Amino acid sequence: QSALTQPPSASGSPGQSVTISCTGTSSDVGGYNYVSWYQQHPGKAPKLILYEVNKRPSGVPDRFSGSKSGNTASLTVSGLQAEDEADYHCSSYAGSNNFAVFGGGTKLTVL
Amino acid sequence: QVQLVESGGGVVQPGGSLRLSCVASGFNFRNFGMHWVRQAPGKGLEWVGFRRYDGRDEVFAASVKGRFSISRDNSKNTLYLQMNSLRTEDTAVYYCAKPWIREALDYWGQGTLVIVSS
């Protein structure tokens, strides 16, 4: 099972919006509505910010939103804030034999 | 509150073995399947494997299948990752994680570092 493809980096200025893509195949992203996104600050454990493509766990600001089209899922961060600077990882369910696959991660820089 | 605390990491030679532990608290551990995820230095996350809540089934990534196994002791709220035939590419921080829905993981431990080197 190959990793999902994410751009290595993304950036935006405070207040702007930025979108990060996550591309898989019909065996993972395209086959299920089970895509999650994680935020990870340096030296910290990942934090779940979206699941089932576009659902937010309690406490996650609505500035974080998700979508999916075909084999590509996307995370949009609106109204960028300094504390949004972090690594973002996507994951997808990949069936009962492989279960889960992650992307390579995207480093988001707030300019 | 939910807590996951990993331990057991360290330096091991290629071909060696290591067992990691993850002690859970703050939730009904015996009702949840549990995952291991790793992160090589400077790299992205990689899902490693999953053990069902009742211990009856486990699933692994192709990169570790046949070398790693997961067990659990529900009486001790503890998850284990037995790693055999270790390779340099297994060097990573290993996290245990609790599932929320399907593959989404809502709680993670702080991780334990495994270095495979001669």
Side-chain angles (χ1 to χ4, degrees):
Chain A
Q1 188 73 24
S2 299
L4 307 177
T5 300
Q6 296 182 236
S9 62
S11 63
S13 299
Q16 288 187 332
S17 294
V18 64
T19 297
I20 298 170
S21 63
C22 170
T23 301
T25 69
S26 58
S27 296
D28 36 65
V29 175
Y32 309 94
N33 286 323
Y34 291 113
V35 175
S36 301
W37 290 89
Y38 299 86
Q39 178 190 64
Q40 185 181 29
H41 288 106
K44 301 293 187 181
K47 172 188 174 184
L48 180 67
I49 57 172
L50 290 174
Y51 65 98
E52 289 184 315
V53 178
N54 57 12
K55 296 179 181 178
R56 280 175 284 107
S58 175
V60 174
D62 59 6
R63 301 186 295 102
F64 294 91
S65 61
S67 63
K68 192 189 86 166
S69 177
N71 295 337
T72 298
S74 298
L75 164 70
T76 297
V77 186
S78 306
L80 272 173
Q81 299 181 4
E83 59 261 36
D84 298 333
E85 184 161 296
D87 292 329
Y88 291 84
H89 307 270
C90 64
S91 74
S92 173
Y93 180 65
S96 58
N97 289 333
N98 298 304
F99 204 88
V101 61
F102 280 93
T106 298
K107 181 175 180 58
L108 174 61
T109 301
V110 180
L111 301 170
Chain B
Q1 70 281 19
V2 173
Q3 272 200 310
L4 299 168
V5 180
E6 302 97 336
S7 62
V11 180
V12 60
Q13 291 189 338
S17 298
L18 207 59
R19 188 178 83 156
L20 308 182
S21 300
C22 169
V23 177
S25 60
F27 68 103
N28 201 339
F29 177 77
R30 63 180 65 244
N31 287 350
F32 288 85
M34 293 291 292
H35 296 257
W36 287 97
V37 178
R38 68 184 181 182
Q39 186 170 32
K43 302 296 186 181
L45 300 170
E46 180 186 14
W47 178 79
V48 171
F50 164 79
R51 184 83 183 189
R52 264 174 57 123
Y53 70 99
D54 57 5
R56 286 184 179 182
D57 192 21
E58 55 183 2
V59 185
F60 289 98
S63 58
V64 305
K65 194 175 296 186
R67 301 187 298 123
F68 289 14
S69 63
I70 299 175
S71 60
R72 58 190 297 159
D73 185 339
N74 287 343
S75 69
K76 296 181 179 179
N77 285 359
T78 302
L79 182 75
Y80 303 99
L81 179 66
Q82 178 67 43
M83 305 184 293
N84 300 327
S85 302
L86 282 162
R87 306 167 180 168
T88 54
E89 56 264 37
D90 295 320
T91 293
V93 173
Y94 285 74
Y95 297 98
C96 67
K98 170 188 167 291
W100 171 234
I101 290 176
R102 197 63 70 159
E103 96 303 345
L105 306 172
D106 61 347
Y107 285 96
W108 298 61
Q110 84 289 350
T112 187
L113 176 61
V114 173
I115 298 173
V116 184
S117 173
S118 55

